[in-house]
Amino acid sequence: MTGIRALLFDVFGTLVDWRTSVAREAEAVLAPLGHALDWSAFADDWRARYQPAMEAVRCGLEPYVALDELHRRNLDAVLASRGIELDEARCRHLNLAWHRLDAWPDVGTGLAALRESFLLAPCSNGNIALMVALARRNGWHWDAILGAEPARAYKPQPLVYLHAVAALGLTPAETLMVAAHAADLAAAGALGLRTAFLARAAEYGQPNPADQPDFPVDFHVDSLPALAAQLRAGG
């Protein structure tokens, strides 16, 4: 694996525990108003609308809009489906739950170890403001913030990965895409990027077979420190 100079990271699920964090944020806003819900199911419902919302952009039905806006549309739909009405200030605050996600326990140590030898950047469908908020919350230090908003497209469209690689002045073969989702890695690998599968069995509260790659990847690890160790050892 010599020749790798930069690592690109999927963020939701790969670096952050969105499910637990969104459930916590929803409870903090809605429980004081008298709502008693399955908070994890609320988070799952909100997340389930993520891919369909982006697909309208991918297939050209609407122009690119930032994920914060798509999250807000989806939140309005989730609330309406439960008969919940919120004032605008509370809706705005709850929508920014995605800016307040907590990292998985291994991420801080792992990123610090990787940063000693490689350029690091998110390659996420999250917009720049969202990525900045997560970095500041969790103490991450990126060399750049790349992904959907700079490319004006959503993964797994090739432009997102290729724009990120080009922005760092590298070739795909010099770039390692790290993700917990097979589709993300399949798209990156098809473009010549190296691939690292980072297993996150607890992302949805239980293992999701669809996230397991059924194709060869360059690395298969269960933590970022383990990835750093393998890279130091040359793969």
Side-chain angles (χ1 to χ4, degrees):
M1 290 297 103
T2 57
I4 293 175
R5 297 176 57 192
L7 276 63
L8 300 174
F9 294 86
D10 175 61
V11 175
F12 301 122
T14 301
L15 299 185
V16 293
D17 179 4
W18 61 264
R19 188 173 190 258
T20 301
S21 301
V22 169
R24 175 198 67 221
E25 295 288 331
E27 183 176 10
V29 172
L30 298 174
L33 301 177
H35 299 288
L37 306 175
D38 180 332
W39 304 112
S40 293
F42 184 97
D44 289 341
D45 188 5
W46 197 354
R47 178 68 172 179
R49 299 168 190 264
Y50 168 76
Q51 289 293 345
M54 291 186 296
E55 188 57 29
V57 177
R58 293 186 192 114
C59 69
L61 290 178
E62 64 175 274
Y64 174 84
V65 293
L67 188 61
D68 277 346
E69 181 173 335
L70 296 183
H71 274 156
R72 176 57 192 272
R73 296 180 197 173
N74 293 340
L75 173 61
D76 290 345
V78 172
L79 292 172
S81 73
R82 289 164 168 76
I84 298 173
E85 295 185 7
L86 285 183
D87 60 79
E88 180 59 23
R90 286 189 174 91
C91 278
R92 285 199 305 269
H93 177 75
L94 182 52
N95 193 53
L96 293 179
W98 297 92
H99 289 226
R100 299 187 293 272
L101 307 179
D102 292 335
W104 297 109
D106 63 285
V107 171
T109 300
L111 288 180
L114 290 163
R115 196 165 185 266
E116 293 178 4
S117 303
F118 304 98
L119 298 173
L120 306 182
C123 186
S124 170
N125 283 325
N127 47 290
I128 293 171
L130 199 167
M131 291 296 105
V132 169
L134 291 181
R136 291 183 65 84
R137 177 179 180 84
N138 292 290
W140 302 337
H141 300 281
W142 297 122
D143 294 296
I145 294 181
L146 305 170
E149 189 169 23
R152 310 294 287 180
Y154 280 116
K155 293 188 300 179
Q157 289 180 291
L159 176 62
V160 182
Y161 307 97
L162 295 177
H163 183 278
V165 171
L168 295 174
L170 302 177
T171 66
E174 294 174 309
T175 312
L176 178 68
M177 182 70 202
V178 183
H181 310 115
D184 206 351
L185 295 178
L191 299 169
L193 281 76
R194 309 287 184 86
T195 53
F197 177 69
L198 175 53
R200 295 295 189 195
E203 179 181 359
Y204 289 90
Q206 57 186 0
N208 181 4
D211 280 340
Q212 294 289 328
D214 59 359
F215 50 86
V217 295
D218 295 301
F219 299 91
H220 192 304
V221 296
D222 59 8
S223 73
L224 282 185
L227 177 60
Q230 288 195 27
L231 285 165
R232 282 196 301 269

